Amino acid sequence: MSNSKLLQSISAPAGRVFLATIFFMSGLNKISGYAGTQGYMEAMGVPGILLPLVIALEVLGGLAIILGFKTKHVAIALAGFSVVSAVIFHADFSDQMQMGMFMKNIAIAGGFLMLVAQGPGAYALDNRLKS
């Protein structure tokens, strides 16, 4: 296998892991800090009753992206979630930290849209399910 083929085959699954780990870990952290997260959501005008759905999307969606399972569908959902989260929770551009968080979310959405366009790459369950 040539170096460029090897790099290509490794970069796709590594990229999926890097992109999705933030969601997987964030969802797990929301479970352990449930009350605080629910209070923060409600303070920002988001019904706290949605928190179980957020946790499920982050944990299960993050895991699905890592494994390359239903990649394009999950990537669309997480891209949308990233943009909506940016607008609701991080649109205070007078605060440098919030502007950075906003841009992080937009960049993550861009990464997910690349998965939608390019597919999961090597070592993905989607590839095995096609066979």
Side-chain angles (χ1 to χ4, degrees):
M1 182 180 283
S2 71
N3 285 342
S4 67
K5 286 284 189 190
L6 178 62
L7 182 60
Q8 186 176 7
S9 70
I10 293 172
S11 64
R16 288 195 324 266
V17 170
F18 294 163
L19 191 56
T21 298
I22 191 170
F23 289 91
F24 183 74
M25 296 304 298
S26 180
L28 294 179
N29 288 335
K30 283 176 175 68
I31 294 169
S32 64
Y34 194 94
T37 302
Q38 188 175 37
Y40 178 67
M41 287 173 63
E42 290 171 350
M44 299 300 287
V46 178
I49 198 164
L50 295 176
L51 184 53
L53 296 174
V54 169
I55 291 170
L57 177 62
E58 289 186 337
V59 172
L60 298 176
L63 189 58
I65 294 293
I66 289 167
L67 297 174
F69 179 71
K70 301 287 184 185
T71 305
K72 290 185 178 191
H73 295 100
V74 176
I76 288 170
L78 288 173
F81 178 78
S82 296
V83 171
V84 169
S85 297
V87 170
I88 293 173
F89 296 105
H90 305 300
D92 179 4
F93 299 128
S94 65
D95 180 340
Q96 195 72 14
M97 179 70 78
Q98 291 303 317
M99 185 163 64
M101 296 292 282
F102 182 92
M103 296 307 298
K104 172 202 55 102
N105 279 34
I106 298 303
I108 289 170
F112 282 124
L113 292 177
M114 291 298 295
L115 279 177
V116 173
Q118 301 297 319
Y123 309 109
L125 288 178
D126 287 343
N127 298 332
R128 289 185 179 262
L129 297 174
K130 283 182 190 175
S131 304

